[in-house]
Amino acid sequence: MSSGTTAVLAIALVLLSSLLYLFGYALSKTLANRYGMTALQVTFLRCVLVLGVTFLALGWAKSGVTWERIWRPTRVWEQRGAAAALVLSNAMAVYAYSLMPVTAASALGFTAPLILTALGGLMLGERISAGRWLGALIGFAGMLLIVKPTENPSLLGIFASVGAAAFYAIYQIVVRRLREVASSVDTAMQVAVVGVVILAVPMVWFWTPLSLEGFAMGVLFTVVQTVALFSISTALRLSETSKIAPWQFSGLIWAMLLDAVMFSVAPSLGSLAGAACIILGGLLAQGGLLRRLFRR
């Protein structure tokens, strides 16, 4: 696969993961508000379901799933550290979306690409060019144009959103470091194992009865979030974190499209300008664009 094809595939996977995460967190808000599930319960249910599928896969030789890969994976502490970061990010994000309007939670949650760009240089030794920094900042500005966060959310909501973004950035960095030894399947399995271990005891006190309809919604949430996880994990194995970071702002473009299609809410001129900024930021992050512009 050529480098150009790899870059395009990585971007496509990031765009897909952004769409699925947006849909997934909308489902989590429904699970919290309509079915009374806590953020910890939503996260725990997701991990239990994924772990159950993992155990079923043990009986299928072609799946490649083994007890060794589940319980003693390569570079075990790094894999489980990444998994713990994602479990915490997921729980904090679900909590934030239950407390705040989706737009406000999104605005704060989309600090992750900026954190990711910075950590890519500090922890992975990636060369963060001016174009990549500029791309991340322009993407962030585009996000603000779309969201216009004017609400006054609770302090707990702010803390949860920013914390979720920080842990998600850390997860992506560690997954990038593990790209030679751990596949997307390994990542999903370790998230399930760590999530069940961390949350099993709290669930003794915080589990609430769940209707069949609520359980079905939880299954849908799990499928959506797991496919999103596979998508972003694969993208991180194909491209540098600082290159794909600005494309994660695309979640807000998906939000505009969903509003237009599902609720007949036409985007404003400011929102369209924000979408253009996000696309420009993603292109700048790929490198070379600034040099070609200045050569002209």
Side-chain angles (χ1 to χ4, degrees):
M1 188 182 295
S2 67
S3 59
T5 303
T6 300
V8 170
L9 179 57
I11 292 169
L13 288 168
V14 173
L15 296 177
L16 176 61
S17 71
S18 297
L19 172 61
L20 293 174
Y21 274 130
L22 173 69
F23 182 47
Y25 284 124
L27 289 174
S28 76
K29 191 173 182 70
T30 301
L31 287 169
N33 295 342
R34 182 180 299 176
Y35 301 104
M37 295 180 68
T38 65
L40 292 181
Q41 186 176 4
V42 172
T43 306
F44 181 72
L45 178 61
R46 171 189 171 185
C47 293
V48 167
L49 290 172
V50 173
L51 191 60
V53 172
T54 300
F55 287 152
L56 289 175
L58 284 169
W60 183 34
K62 292 184 178 180
S63 71
V65 176
T66 63
W67 287 108
E68 184 77 14
R69 287 178 70 184
I70 297 172
W71 301 118
R72 288 184 294 182
T74 306
R75 291 163 65 175
V76 58
W77 292 113
E78 285 184 76
Q79 286 206 49
R80 289 186 175 156
L86 187 63
V87 169
L88 290 171
S89 175
N90 189 86
M92 295 177 82
V94 171
Y95 183 59
Y97 277 81
S98 71
L99 290 177
M100 303 162 63
V102 171
T103 52
S106 298
L108 294 165
F110 277 101
T111 55
L114 289 176
I115 299 170
L116 183 61
T117 299
L119 291 180
L122 292 173
M123 297 180 66
L124 298 178
E126 293 180 358
R127 180 179 174 274
I128 313 300
S129 65
R132 294 187 191 179
W133 275 116
L134 185 59
L137 291 171
I138 289 176
F140 187 73
M143 176 271 294
L144 292 177
L145 283 172
I146 295 172
V147 174
K148 303 183 190 70
T150 57
E151 298 88 351
N152 294 306
S154 68
L155 289 177
L156 283 176
I158 293 173
F159 174 80
S161 289
V162 175
F167 280 117
Y168 186 51
I170 292 170
Y171 159 77
Q172 292 181 71
I173 289 293
V174 180
V175 166
R176 175 69 180 168
R177 290 180 53 166
L178 292 167
R179 63 188 182 279
E180 301 297 335
V181 298
S183 68
S184 298
V185 173
D186 292 309
T187 300
M189 290 191 300
Q190 292 309 311
V191 170
V193 169
V194 171
V196 169
V197 170
I198 291 177
L199 299 176
V201 173
M203 283 300 97
V204 174
W205 288 277
F206 295 108
W207 182 267
T208 58
L210 194 59
S211 67
L212 182 60
E213 183 181 346
F215 178 76
M217 188 71 71
V219 172
L220 178 59
F221 167 79
T222 299
V223 171
V224 170
Q225 294 290 88
T226 302
V227 175
L229 171 63
F230 270 86
S231 298
I232 193 64
S233 297
T234 304
L236 288 164
R237 287 171 175 80
L238 295 174
S239 181
E240 294 180 354
T241 56
S242 55
K243 279 191 175 184
I244 65 173
W247 291 103
Q248 294 184 35
F249 290 116
S250 64
L252 291 160
I253 298 178
W254 291 125
M256 282 197 306
L257 292 173
L258 288 174
D259 273 342
V261 172
M262 297 176 64
F263 306 109
S264 299
V265 178
S268 66
L269 289 176
S271 295
L272 292 174
C277 286
I278 290 172
I279 294 170
L280 175 60
L283 292 173
L284 286 170
Q286 300 313 300
L289 182 58
L290 279 180
R291 290 192 298 273
R292 289 194 293 272
L293 288 174
F294 281 119
R295 281 174 187 168
R296 293 179 183 178

